[in-house]
Amino acid sequence: MPVTNHRITFARSPRGLPTPADFGADETPIPVPGPGQFLSRTVYLSLDPYYRNVMKNSPIYAERLAPGDVMIGETVAQVIESHHPGFAVGDFVAVRNGWQQFALSTGEGVRRLDAAVAPLSTALGVLGMPGLTGWAGMVHLAEPLPGQTAVVSACTGPVGSTAGQVARQMGARVVGIAGSAEKCDYAVRDLGFAACVNYKDGDLAANLKDACPRGIDVYFDNVGGETLAAVFRNLALGARVVLCGMIEAYSLDQPPPGPFLGPVVGARASLKGLVVYDHLHHFAEMNRVVSGWIREGSFRYREDVTEGLASAPEAFCRLMRGGNFGKALVKVAPETR
Ligand code: NAP
């Protein structure tokens, strides 16, 4: 058991793409739980693109970071000392410990985890906030019909791979968009998509036209920018576009000019904004259905795991460059002590 708490801190708002110099590190005493609190040790740290927006103190997030603060983030952790009636030593939980080895919690917003249902790490990916995002966007906003064409960008990440596989389970013909031939092979071979277009290889709008000859009925957008513009040129009549993420712009100091919206009018398409926190009441339903698919083998996921808390800044920078292949996680400590 370490005697100090290793923490990765926020140093400054990045200029452009984040670099490890935007983070700091320190060691503090391991905190002691008071009445109604528990202490947990972090096992997995989730790396999520929205941290980049919190690092610029974007007003759309409640969280604020000042230099020296521990970086925010969701984790899977194990309770090691408890003065909380609802949590016992040994329990695994999904809790917002941030980028540190140990943290206190009052239990608010904490989810208890059961390793018998699914691997613990999935609570940060396909069975966590990203999975709920993909599920809610497809099931409750886009609603693809059997036989319709559903396109998903960043399609091998936890949000995109869930959105795409949910659409496939709903009977849609799913076409992915991803940033390498390796990711596209995985999308077709493992995720069961009908096709996948590598947006770094050739004319995206033309390649989407080939992959979606009857047009795009549903688009689940994780990227924004030029990818969104290329999809707009291929919309089918009555298309639904779910605007989920704009990662292409997160590291830009000025938002780029928006895509030309003329094709949205021509296709009588509707655009819907998605915020996962509006859909927390669907969490249990998503977990029950998707964990069942995982156990029966009809739903796949990938994880991109980096070892050790000290590697978190570089791993996060890699995620923001699109270098991750699967849910980006940091393994902070072994699951069993
Ligand atoms: P992820 O897919 O694991 O990682 C991000 C991926 O974005 C990269 O691997 C890369 O994949 C792709 N990408 C495309 N253009 C990029 C660019 N210009 N720079 C960097 N990466 C680029 O991430 P995730 O956790 O599943 O999240 C996906 C999206 O959903 C993000 O935009 C995130 O902010 C959003 N999100 C929204 C909500 C909500 O409530 N609306 C909730 C959760 C997440 P390729 O190489 O395949 O392009």
mmCIF file of all heavy atoms in Angstrom, residues 17 47-50 53 61 129-130 133 154-160 177-180 183 199-200 222-223 227 243-248 250 274-277 319-328, ligand 1:
data_model
loop_
_atom_site.group_PDB
_atom_site.id
_atom_site.type_symbol
_atom_site.label_atom_id
_atom_site.label_comp_id
_atom_site.label_asym_id
_atom_site.label_seq_id
_atom_site.Cartn_x
_atom_site.Cartn_y
_atom_site.Cartn_z
ATOM 1 N N LEU A 17 -3.809 21.546 -29.511
ATOM 2 C CA LEU A 17 -3.821 20.198 -28.942
ATOM 3 C C LEU A 17 -3.125 20.182 -27.591
ATOM 4 O O LEU A 17 -2.095 20.852 -27.416
ATOM 5 C CB LEU A 17 -3.107 19.227 -29.896
ATOM 6 C CG LEU A 17 -3.887 18.811 -31.140
ATOM 7 C CD1 LEU A 17 -2.972 18.075 -32.127
ATOM 8 C CD2 LEU A 17 -5.078 17.917 -30.771
ATOM 9 N N LEU A 47 -10.429 8.247 -19.644
ATOM 10 C CA LEU A 47 -10.011 9.443 -20.380
ATOM 11 C C LEU A 47 -11.116 9.762 -21.382
ATOM 12 O O LEU A 47 -11.472 8.906 -22.190
ATOM 13 C CB LEU A 47 -8.677 9.199 -21.090
ATOM 14 C CG LEU A 47 -7.499 8.863 -20.169
ATOM 15 C CD1 LEU A 47 -6.242 8.590 -20.986
ATOM 16 C CD2 LEU A 47 -7.247 9.978 -19.156
ATOM 17 N N ASP A 48 -11.662 10.950 -21.313
ATOM 18 C CA ASP A 48 -12.796 11.327 -22.161
ATOM 19 C C ASP A 48 -12.510 12.646 -22.859
ATOM 20 O O ASP A 48 -11.942 13.564 -22.255
ATOM 21 C CB ASP A 48 -14.065 11.465 -21.310
ATOM 22 C CG ASP A 48 -14.532 10.123 -20.774
ATOM 23 O OD1 ASP A 48 -15.183 9.393 -21.533
ATOM 24 O OD2 ASP A 48 -14.207 9.797 -19.621
ATOM 25 N N PRO A 49 -12.939 12.750 -24.152
ATOM 26 C CA PRO A 49 -12.647 13.976 -24.906
ATOM 27 C C PRO A 49 -13.152 15.252 -24.244
ATOM 28 O O PRO A 49 -12.540 16.318 -24.394
ATOM 29 C CB PRO A 49 -13.363 13.733 -26.243
ATOM 30 C CG PRO A 49 -13.408 12.240 -26.390
ATOM 31 C CD PRO A 49 -13.583 11.717 -24.992
ATOM 32 N N TYR A 50 -14.244 15.177 -23.464
ATOM 33 C CA TYR A 50 -14.793 16.415 -22.915
ATOM 34 C C TYR A 50 -13.864 17.070 -21.879
ATOM 35 O O TYR A 50 -14.001 18.254 -21.582
ATOM 36 C CB TYR A 50 -16.209 16.204 -22.353
ATOM 37 C CG TYR A 50 -16.273 15.646 -20.951
ATOM 38 C CD1 TYR A 50 -16.302 16.487 -19.843
ATOM 39 C CD2 TYR A 50 -16.312 14.279 -20.724
ATOM 40 C CE1 TYR A 50 -16.373 15.980 -18.553
ATOM 41 C CE2 TYR A 50 -16.373 13.760 -19.436
ATOM 42 C CZ TYR A 50 -16.408 14.625 -18.366
ATOM 43 O OH TYR A 50 -16.447 14.114 -17.086
ATOM 44 N N ASN A 53 -12.513 20.237 -23.060
ATOM 45 C CA ASN A 53 -13.370 21.422 -22.935
ATOM 46 C C ASN A 53 -13.374 21.949 -21.503
ATOM 47 O O ASN A 53 -13.414 23.160 -21.283
ATOM 48 C CB ASN A 53 -14.795 21.092 -23.387
ATOM 49 C CG ASN A 53 -14.868 20.861 -24.884
ATOM 50 O OD1 ASN A 53 -14.065 21.429 -25.627
ATOM 51 N ND2 ASN A 53 -15.796 20.040 -25.323
ATOM 52 N N TYR A 61 -19.950 23.240 -19.056
ATOM 53 C CA TYR A 61 -19.741 22.227 -18.012
ATOM 54 C C TYR A 61 -19.775 22.868 -16.633
ATOM 55 O O TYR A 61 -19.276 23.997 -16.457
ATOM 56 C CB TYR A 61 -18.392 21.505 -18.207
ATOM 57 C CG TYR A 61 -18.348 20.783 -19.528
ATOM 58 C CD1 TYR A 61 -17.792 21.377 -20.654
ATOM 59 C CD2 TYR A 61 -18.906 19.515 -19.656
ATOM 60 C CE1 TYR A 61 -17.785 20.727 -21.878
ATOM 61 C CE2 TYR A 61 -18.898 18.861 -20.877
ATOM 62 C CZ TYR A 61 -18.343 19.471 -21.978
ATOM 63 O OH TYR A 61 -18.360 18.831 -23.182
ATOM 64 N N MET A 129 -20.999 6.095 -19.065
ATOM 65 C CA MET A 129 -21.506 7.322 -19.689
ATOM 66 C C MET A 129 -21.385 7.285 -21.222
ATOM 67 O O MET A 129 -22.355 7.624 -21.926
ATOM 68 C CB MET A 129 -20.769 8.513 -19.065
ATOM 69 C CG MET A 129 -21.151 9.867 -19.572
ATOM 70 S SD MET A 129 -20.301 10.304 -21.097
ATOM 71 C CE MET A 129 -18.640 10.653 -20.528
ATOM 72 N N PRO A 130 -20.233 6.825 -21.795
ATOM 73 C CA PRO A 130 -20.172 6.790 -23.261
ATOM 74 C C PRO A 130 -21.193 5.830 -23.869
ATOM 75 O O PRO A 130 -21.828 6.148 -24.878
ATOM 76 C CB PRO A 130 -18.730 6.330 -23.541
ATOM 77 C CG PRO A 130 -17.966 6.704 -22.304
ATOM 78 C CD PRO A 130 -18.930 6.496 -21.172
ATOM 79 N N THR A 133 -24.572 7.276 -23.907
ATOM 80 C CA THR A 133 -24.669 8.303 -24.947
ATOM 81 C C THR A 133 -25.032 7.664 -26.287
ATOM 82 O O THR A 133 -25.955 8.116 -26.977
ATOM 83 C CB THR A 133 -23.323 9.050 -25.061
ATOM 84 O OG1 THR A 133 -22.955 9.541 -23.776
ATOM 85 C CG2 THR A 133 -23.416 10.205 -26.038
ATOM 86 N N ALA A 154 -16.328 8.429 -35.662
ATOM 87 C CA ALA A 154 -15.521 7.933 -34.526
ATOM 88 C C ALA A 154 -16.096 6.579 -34.103
ATOM 89 O O ALA A 154 -16.366 6.327 -32.928
ATOM 90 C CB ALA A 154 -15.491 8.926 -33.369
ATOM 91 N N CYS A 155 -16.285 5.691 -35.083
ATOM 92 C CA CYS A 155 -17.159 4.529 -34.896
ATOM 93 C C CYS A 155 -16.514 3.396 -34.115
ATOM 94 O O CYS A 155 -17.199 2.415 -33.819
ATOM 95 C CB CYS A 155 -17.676 4.037 -36.243
ATOM 96 S SG CYS A 155 -16.431 3.138 -37.193
ATOM 97 N N THR A 156 -15.224 3.483 -33.769
ATOM 98 C CA THR A 156 -14.636 2.396 -32.968
ATOM 99 C C THR A 156 -14.460 2.795 -31.504
ATOM 100 O O THR A 156 -14.035 1.987 -30.693
ATOM 101 C CB THR A 156 -13.266 1.946 -33.539
ATOM 102 O OG1 THR A 156 -12.358 3.052 -33.500
ATOM 103 C CG2 THR A 156 -13.401 1.440 -34.962
ATOM 104 N N GLY A 157 -14.783 4.040 -31.153
ATOM 105 C CA GLY A 157 -14.715 4.472 -29.755
ATOM 106 C C GLY A 157 -15.924 3.975 -28.979
ATOM 107 O O GLY A 157 -16.838 3.368 -29.556
ATOM 108 N N PRO A 158 -15.953 4.218 -27.680
ATOM 109 C CA PRO A 158 -17.058 3.684 -26.877
ATOM 110 C C PRO A 158 -18.417 4.262 -27.249
ATOM 111 O O PRO A 158 -19.421 3.531 -27.249
ATOM 112 C CB PRO A 158 -16.669 4.041 -25.438
ATOM 113 C CG PRO A 158 -15.687 5.154 -25.559
ATOM 114 C CD PRO A 158 -14.965 4.932 -26.854
ATOM 115 N N VAL A 159 -18.484 5.558 -27.589
ATOM 116 C CA VAL A 159 -19.773 6.143 -27.984
ATOM 117 C C VAL A 159 -20.177 5.601 -29.359
ATOM 118 O O VAL A 159 -21.272 5.061 -29.540
ATOM 119 C CB VAL A 159 -19.697 7.689 -28.017
ATOM 120 C CG1 VAL A 159 -20.999 8.270 -28.568
ATOM 121 C CG2 VAL A 159 -19.408 8.251 -26.629
ATOM 122 N N GLY A 160 -19.268 5.726 -30.324
ATOM 123 C CA GLY A 160 -19.598 5.341 -31.691
ATOM 124 C C GLY A 160 -19.850 3.849 -31.835
ATOM 125 O O GLY A 160 -20.777 3.431 -32.547
ATOM 126 N N ILE A 177 -17.572 5.590 -39.918
ATOM 127 C CA ILE A 177 -16.507 6.484 -40.396
ATOM 128 C C ILE A 177 -15.411 6.414 -39.346
ATOM 129 O O ILE A 177 -15.686 6.565 -38.142
ATOM 130 C CB ILE A 177 -17.000 7.942 -40.543
ATOM 131 C CG1 ILE A 177 -18.155 8.042 -41.544
ATOM 132 C CG2 ILE A 177 -15.842 8.849 -40.968
ATOM 133 C CD1 ILE A 177 -18.760 9.449 -41.661
ATOM 134 N N ALA A 178 -14.163 6.165 -39.785
ATOM 135 C CA ALA A 178 -13.055 6.088 -38.824
ATOM 136 C C ALA A 178 -11.781 6.587 -39.503
ATOM 137 O O ALA A 178 -11.755 6.801 -40.718
ATOM 138 C CB ALA A 178 -12.883 4.655 -38.326
ATOM 139 N N GLY A 179 -10.718 6.744 -38.667
ATOM 140 C CA GLY A 179 -9.525 7.428 -39.137
ATOM 141 C C GLY A 179 -8.372 6.543 -39.562
ATOM 142 O O GLY A 179 -7.251 7.042 -39.734
ATOM 143 N N SER A 180 -8.576 5.241 -39.749
ATOM 144 C CA SER A 180 -7.499 4.394 -40.273
ATOM 145 C C SER A 180 -8.104 3.129 -40.874
ATOM 146 O O SER A 180 -9.240 2.743 -40.536
ATOM 147 C CB SER A 180 -6.498 4.005 -39.168
ATOM 148 O OG SER A 180 -7.085 3.080 -38.276
ATOM 149 N N LYS A 183 -8.853 0.613 -38.099
ATOM 150 C CA LYS A 183 -10.119 0.857 -37.391
ATOM 151 C C LYS A 183 -11.293 0.424 -38.263
ATOM 152 O O LYS A 183 -12.268 -0.166 -37.773
ATOM 153 C CB LYS A 183 -10.243 2.334 -37.003
ATOM 154 C CG LYS A 183 -9.319 2.773 -35.864
ATOM 155 C CD LYS A 183 -9.529 4.256 -35.499
ATOM 156 C CE LYS A 183 -8.643 4.687 -34.345
ATOM 157 N NZ LYS A 183 -8.839 6.113 -33.952
ATOM 158 N N TYR A 199 -11.901 8.369 -43.382
ATOM 159 C CA TYR A 199 -12.023 9.767 -43.828
ATOM 160 C C TYR A 199 -10.668 10.383 -44.176
ATOM 161 O O TYR A 199 -10.612 11.483 -44.726
ATOM 162 C CB TYR A 199 -12.746 10.627 -42.778
ATOM 163 C CG TYR A 199 -12.018 10.815 -41.468
ATOM 164 C CD1 TYR A 199 -11.194 11.914 -41.243
ATOM 165 C CD2 TYR A 199 -12.163 9.899 -40.436
ATOM 166 C CE1 TYR A 199 -10.531 12.089 -40.033
ATOM 167 C CE2 TYR A 199 -11.514 10.060 -39.231
ATOM 168 C CZ TYR A 199 -10.699 11.154 -39.042
ATOM 169 O OH TYR A 199 -10.043 11.319 -37.842
ATOM 170 N N LYS A 200 -9.579 9.652 -43.865
ATOM 171 C CA LYS A 200 -8.252 10.183 -44.215
ATOM 172 C C LYS A 200 -7.808 9.681 -45.594
ATOM 173 O O LYS A 200 -6.703 9.974 -46.038
ATOM 174 C CB LYS A 200 -7.225 9.779 -43.158
ATOM 175 C CG LYS A 200 -7.494 10.454 -41.811
ATOM 176 C CD LYS A 200 -6.493 10.062 -40.755
ATOM 177 C CE LYS A 200 -6.831 10.737 -39.429
ATOM 178 N NZ LYS A 200 -6.133 10.122 -38.301
ATOM 179 N N ASN A 222 -20.075 12.360 -34.046
ATOM 180 C CA ASN A 222 -19.153 12.518 -32.918
ATOM 181 C C ASN A 222 -18.032 13.500 -33.210
ATOM 182 O O ASN A 222 -17.153 13.702 -32.372
ATOM 183 C CB ASN A 222 -18.508 11.164 -32.589
ATOM 184 C CG ASN A 222 -19.470 10.237 -31.887
ATOM 185 O OD1 ASN A 222 -20.181 10.665 -30.979
ATOM 186 N ND2 ASN A 222 -19.514 8.983 -32.300
ATOM 187 N N VAL A 223 -18.035 14.090 -34.406
ATOM 188 C CA VAL A 223 -16.846 14.788 -34.889
ATOM 189 C C VAL A 223 -17.104 16.238 -35.285
ATOM 190 O O VAL A 223 -16.333 17.136 -34.945
ATOM 191 C CB VAL A 223 -16.275 14.005 -36.101
ATOM 192 C CG1 VAL A 223 -15.115 14.738 -36.724
ATOM 193 C CG2 VAL A 223 -15.829 12.603 -35.674
ATOM 194 N N THR A 227 -16.402 16.403 -41.571
ATOM 195 C CA THR A 227 -17.101 15.107 -41.653
ATOM 196 C C THR A 227 -18.605 15.349 -41.724
ATOM 197 O O THR A 227 -19.318 14.752 -42.545
ATOM 198 C CB THR A 227 -16.742 14.238 -40.432
ATOM 199 O OG1 THR A 227 -15.322 14.161 -40.346
ATOM 200 C CG2 THR A 227 -17.322 12.849 -40.538
ATOM 201 N N LEU A 243 -26.523 15.305 -33.156
ATOM 202 C CA LEU A 243 -25.263 16.027 -32.923
ATOM 203 C C LEU A 243 -24.790 15.683 -31.515
ATOM 204 O O LEU A 243 -25.356 16.144 -30.527
ATOM 205 C CB LEU A 243 -25.499 17.533 -33.073
ATOM 206 C CG LEU A 243 -26.016 17.967 -34.451
ATOM 207 C CD1 LEU A 243 -26.364 19.451 -34.454
ATOM 208 C CD2 LEU A 243 -24.998 17.656 -35.543
ATOM 209 N N CYS A 244 -23.767 14.829 -31.432
ATOM 210 C CA CYS A 244 -23.315 14.317 -30.129
ATOM 211 C C CYS A 244 -22.002 14.937 -29.701
ATOM 212 O O CYS A 244 -21.853 15.361 -28.561
ATOM 213 C CB CYS A 244 -23.182 12.800 -30.211
ATOM 214 S SG CYS A 244 -22.408 12.086 -28.766
ATOM 215 N N GLY A 245 -21.030 14.982 -30.593
ATOM 216 C CA GLY A 245 -19.706 15.505 -30.222
ATOM 217 C C GLY A 245 -19.075 16.230 -31.396
ATOM 218 O O GLY A 245 -19.416 15.983 -32.554
ATOM 219 N N MET A 246 -18.181 17.144 -31.091
ATOM 220 C CA MET A 246 -17.533 17.983 -32.119
ATOM 221 C C MET A 246 -16.027 17.923 -31.901
ATOM 222 O O MET A 246 -15.363 18.960 -31.832
ATOM 223 C CB MET A 246 -17.997 19.441 -31.984
ATOM 224 C CG MET A 246 -19.483 19.622 -31.887
ATOM 225 S SD MET A 246 -20.196 19.880 -33.508
ATOM 226 C CE MET A 246 -21.785 19.104 -33.366
ATOM 227 N N ILE A 247 -15.462 16.723 -31.746
ATOM 228 C CA ILE A 247 -14.061 16.621 -31.316
ATOM 229 C C ILE A 247 -13.117 17.348 -32.268
ATOM 230 O O ILE A 247 -12.069 17.834 -31.844
ATOM 231 C CB ILE A 247 -13.639 15.144 -31.112
ATOM 232 C CG1 ILE A 247 -12.325 15.082 -30.321
ATOM 233 C CG2 ILE A 247 -13.555 14.387 -32.418
ATOM 234 C CD1 ILE A 247 -11.965 13.723 -29.798
ATOM 235 N N GLU A 248 -13.523 17.479 -33.541
ATOM 236 C CA GLU A 248 -12.660 18.166 -34.495
ATOM 237 C C GLU A 248 -12.347 19.600 -34.032
ATOM 238 O O GLU A 248 -11.311 20.157 -34.382
ATOM 239 C CB GLU A 248 -13.360 18.191 -35.860
ATOM 240 C CG GLU A 248 -12.418 18.393 -37.009
ATOM 241 C CD GLU A 248 -13.128 18.314 -38.355
ATOM 242 O OE1 GLU A 248 -13.279 17.186 -38.850
ATOM 243 O OE2 GLU A 248 -13.510 19.351 -38.896
ATOM 244 N N TYR A 250 -12.490 20.697 -30.597
ATOM 245 C CA TYR A 250 -12.196 20.881 -29.169
ATOM 246 C C TYR A 250 -10.838 21.549 -28.940
ATOM 247 O O TYR A 250 -10.653 22.260 -27.964
ATOM 248 C CB TYR A 250 -12.216 19.549 -28.409
ATOM 249 C CG TYR A 250 -13.562 18.867 -28.317
ATOM 250 C CD1 TYR A 250 -13.676 17.581 -27.796
ATOM 251 C CD2 TYR A 250 -14.733 19.493 -28.738
ATOM 252 C CE1 TYR A 250 -14.898 16.938 -27.704
ATOM 253 C CE2 TYR A 250 -15.962 18.848 -28.655
ATOM 254 C CZ TYR A 250 -16.027 17.577 -28.142
ATOM 255 O OH TYR A 250 -17.235 16.933 -28.060
ATOM 256 N N LEU A 274 -27.706 16.131 -28.529
ATOM 257 C CA LEU A 274 -27.729 15.065 -27.505
ATOM 258 C C LEU A 274 -26.855 15.461 -26.325
ATOM 259 O O LEU A 274 -25.685 15.809 -26.510
ATOM 260 C CB LEU A 274 -27.194 13.760 -28.119
ATOM 261 C CG LEU A 274 -26.827 12.621 -27.169
ATOM 262 C CD1 LEU A 274 -28.043 12.141 -26.384
ATOM 263 C CD2 LEU A 274 -26.236 11.454 -27.949
ATOM 264 N N VAL A 275 -27.431 15.426 -25.124
ATOM 265 C CA VAL A 275 -26.645 15.570 -23.889
ATOM 266 C C VAL A 275 -26.966 14.358 -23.026
ATOM 267 O O VAL A 275 -28.124 14.138 -22.645
ATOM 268 C CB VAL A 275 -26.981 16.875 -23.136
ATOM 269 C CG1 VAL A 275 -26.288 16.916 -21.783
ATOM 270 C CG2 VAL A 275 -26.552 18.085 -23.970
ATOM 271 N N VAL A 276 -25.956 13.559 -22.749
ATOM 272 C CA VAL A 276 -26.183 12.258 -22.098
ATOM 273 C C VAL A 276 -26.899 12.415 -20.761
ATOM 274 O O VAL A 276 -27.703 11.561 -20.378
ATOM 275 C CB VAL A 276 -24.850 11.495 -21.950
ATOM 276 C CG1 VAL A 276 -23.870 12.203 -21.050
ATOM 277 C CG2 VAL A 276 -25.094 10.078 -21.451
ATOM 278 N N TYR A 277 -26.659 13.516 -20.066
ATOM 279 C CA TYR A 277 -27.235 13.659 -18.718
ATOM 280 C C TYR A 277 -28.752 13.802 -18.732
ATOM 281 O O TYR A 277 -29.412 13.640 -17.714
ATOM 282 C CB TYR A 277 -26.553 14.822 -17.981
ATOM 283 C CG TYR A 277 -25.066 14.563 -17.905
ATOM 284 C CD1 TYR A 277 -24.157 15.309 -18.643
ATOM 285 C CD2 TYR A 277 -24.575 13.497 -17.147
ATOM 286 C CE1 TYR A 277 -22.805 15.018 -18.618
ATOM 287 C CE2 TYR A 277 -23.229 13.194 -17.118
ATOM 288 C CZ TYR A 277 -22.344 13.960 -17.853
ATOM 289 O OH TYR A 277 -21.009 13.655 -17.836
ATOM 290 N N LEU A 319 -5.317 10.565 -27.130
ATOM 291 C CA LEU A 319 -6.765 10.513 -27.401
ATOM 292 C C LEU A 319 -7.197 11.743 -28.192
ATOM 293 O O LEU A 319 -7.944 11.644 -29.172
ATOM 294 C CB LEU A 319 -7.532 10.437 -26.065
ATOM 295 C CG LEU A 319 -9.036 10.721 -26.100
ATOM 296 C CD1 LEU A 319 -9.798 9.593 -26.787
ATOM 297 C CD2 LEU A 319 -9.596 10.920 -24.689
ATOM 298 N N MET A 320 -6.702 12.915 -27.790
ATOM 299 C CA MET A 320 -7.150 14.146 -28.450
ATOM 300 C C MET A 320 -6.561 14.287 -29.853
ATOM 301 O O MET A 320 -7.036 15.097 -30.641
ATOM 302 C CB MET A 320 -6.825 15.373 -27.592
ATOM 303 C CG MET A 320 -7.603 15.430 -26.280
ATOM 304 S SD MET A 320 -9.386 15.116 -26.430
ATOM 305 C CE MET A 320 -9.891 16.438 -27.515
ATOM 306 N N ARG A 321 -5.540 13.478 -30.171
ATOM 307 C CA ARG A 321 -5.022 13.445 -31.553
ATOM 308 C C ARG A 321 -5.701 12.344 -32.366
ATOM 309 O O ARG A 321 -5.357 12.125 -33.521
ATOM 310 C CB ARG A 321 -3.503 13.168 -31.547
ATOM 311 C CG ARG A 321 -2.633 14.251 -30.946
ATOM 312 C CD ARG A 321 -1.154 14.014 -31.276
ATOM 313 N NE ARG A 321 -0.632 12.746 -30.773
ATOM 314 C CZ ARG A 321 -0.030 12.561 -29.593
ATOM 315 N NH1 ARG A 321 0.139 13.595 -28.780
ATOM 316 N NH2 ARG A 321 0.415 11.383 -29.228
ATOM 317 N N GLY A 322 -6.646 11.618 -31.744
ATOM 318 C CA GLY A 322 -7.319 10.517 -32.438
ATOM 319 C C GLY A 322 -6.490 9.251 -32.457
ATOM 320 O O GLY A 322 -6.786 8.322 -33.200
ATOM 321 N N GLY A 323 -5.443 9.167 -31.613
ATOM 322 C CA GLY A 323 -4.538 8.017 -31.642
ATOM 323 C C GLY A 323 -5.033 6.824 -30.854
ATOM 324 O O GLY A 323 -4.451 5.735 -30.952
ATOM 325 N N ASN A 324 -6.111 6.985 -30.071
ATOM 326 C CA ASN A 324 -6.640 5.831 -29.326
ATOM 327 C C ASN A 324 -7.401 4.918 -30.278
ATOM 328 O O ASN A 324 -7.961 5.365 -31.275
ATOM 329 C CB ASN A 324 -7.570 6.304 -28.201
ATOM 330 C CG ASN A 324 -8.840 6.952 -28.750
ATOM 331 O OD1 ASN A 324 -8.756 7.862 -29.570
ATOM 332 N ND2 ASN A 324 -9.987 6.498 -28.323
ATOM 333 N N PHE A 325 -7.424 3.628 -29.932
ATOM 334 C CA PHE A 325 -8.193 2.642 -30.704
ATOM 335 C C PHE A 325 -9.015 1.867 -29.687
ATOM 336 O O PHE A 325 -8.562 0.871 -29.147
ATOM 337 C CB PHE A 325 -7.237 1.748 -31.488
ATOM 338 C CG PHE A 325 -7.899 0.769 -32.448
ATOM 339 C CD1 PHE A 325 -9.280 0.718 -32.615
ATOM 340 C CD2 PHE A 325 -7.120 -0.099 -33.209
ATOM 341 C CE1 PHE A 325 -9.870 -0.177 -33.494
ATOM 342 C CE2 PHE A 325 -7.698 -1.004 -34.094
ATOM 343 C CZ PHE A 325 -9.070 -1.038 -34.231
ATOM 344 N N GLY A 326 -10.209 2.367 -29.390
ATOM 345 C CA GLY A 326 -11.047 1.802 -28.339
ATOM 346 C C GLY A 326 -11.116 2.750 -27.161
ATOM 347 O O GLY A 326 -10.451 3.793 -27.138
ATOM 348 N N LYS A 327 -11.911 2.391 -26.172
ATOM 349 C CA LYS A 327 -12.117 3.233 -24.990
ATOM 350 C C LYS A 327 -10.780 3.520 -24.296
ATOM 351 O O LYS A 327 -10.092 2.591 -23.873
ATOM 352 C CB LYS A 327 -13.084 2.527 -24.023
ATOM 353 C CG LYS A 327 -13.160 3.135 -22.634
ATOM 354 C CD LYS A 327 -13.714 4.547 -22.649
ATOM 355 C CE LYS A 327 -13.352 5.306 -21.394
ATOM 356 N NZ LYS A 327 -13.636 6.745 -21.506
ATOM 357 N N ALA A 328 -10.438 4.793 -24.160
ATOM 358 C CA ALA A 328 -9.166 5.175 -23.547
ATOM 359 C C ALA A 328 -9.267 5.079 -22.026
ATOM 360 O O ALA A 328 -10.103 5.739 -21.406
ATOM 361 C CB ALA A 328 -8.791 6.590 -23.977
HETATM 362 P P1 NAP B 1 -13.352 8.076 -28.854
HETATM 363 O O1 NAP B 1 -14.172 7.766 -30.060
HETATM 364 O O2 NAP B 1 -12.746 6.953 -28.105
HETATM 365 O O3 NAP B 1 -12.132 9.034 -29.239
HETATM 366 C C1 NAP B 1 -12.268 10.137 -30.034
HETATM 367 C C2 NAP B 1 -12.112 9.751 -31.531
HETATM 368 O O4 NAP B 1 -12.518 10.850 -32.331
HETATM 369 C C3 NAP B 1 -10.687 9.492 -31.965
HETATM 370 O O5 NAP B 1 -10.205 8.215 -31.649
HETATM 371 C C4 NAP B 1 -10.809 9.679 -33.470
HETATM 372 O O6 NAP B 1 -11.249 8.451 -34.061
HETATM 373 C C5 NAP B 1 -12.019 10.630 -33.622
HETATM 374 N N1 NAP B 1 -11.690 11.885 -34.314
HETATM 375 C C6 NAP B 1 -12.286 12.324 -35.437
HETATM 376 N N2 NAP B 1 -11.789 13.506 -35.811
HETATM 377 C C7 NAP B 1 -10.859 13.825 -34.918
HETATM 378 C C8 NAP B 1 -9.986 14.937 -34.787
HETATM 379 N N3 NAP B 1 -9.981 15.967 -35.642
HETATM 380 N N4 NAP B 1 -9.136 14.934 -33.752
HETATM 381 C C9 NAP B 1 -9.142 13.907 -32.870
HETATM 382 N N5 NAP B 1 -9.946 12.834 -32.946
HETATM 383 C C10 NAP B 1 -10.789 12.798 -33.979
HETATM 384 O O7 NAP B 1 -14.221 9.012 -27.874
HETATM 385 P P2 NAP B 1 -15.642 8.793 -27.198
HETATM 386 O O8 NAP B 1 -15.449 8.851 -25.727
HETATM 387 O O9 NAP B 1 -16.332 7.612 -27.790
HETATM 388 O O10 NAP B 1 -16.407 10.126 -27.617
HETATM 389 C C11 NAP B 1 -16.842 10.328 -28.946
HETATM 390 C C12 NAP B 1 -17.530 11.690 -29.061
HETATM 391 O O11 NAP B 1 -18.710 11.716 -28.274
HETATM 392 C C13 NAP B 1 -16.669 12.857 -28.597
HETATM 393 O O12 NAP B 1 -16.865 13.947 -29.483
HETATM 394 C C14 NAP B 1 -17.257 13.189 -27.245
HETATM 395 O O13 NAP B 1 -17.011 14.521 -26.849
HETATM 396 C C15 NAP B 1 -18.729 12.906 -27.503
HETATM 397 N N6 NAP B 1 -19.575 12.689 -26.313
HETATM 398 C C16 NAP B 1 -20.725 13.417 -26.202
HETATM 399 C C17 NAP B 1 -21.588 13.208 -25.143
HETATM 400 C C18 NAP B 1 -22.875 13.981 -25.051
HETATM 401 O O14 NAP B 1 -23.541 13.968 -24.003
HETATM 402 N N7 NAP B 1 -23.262 14.664 -26.116
HETATM 403 C C19 NAP B 1 -21.249 12.261 -24.154
HETATM 404 C C20 NAP B 1 -20.060 11.509 -24.309
HETATM 405 C C21 NAP B 1 -19.215 11.742 -25.404
HETATM 406 P P3 NAP B 1 -11.078 8.191 -35.631
HETATM 407 O O15 NAP B 1 -9.609 7.969 -35.835
HETATM 408 O O16 NAP B 1 -11.906 7.013 -35.918
HETATM 409 O O17 NAP B 1 -11.571 9.417 -36.324
#
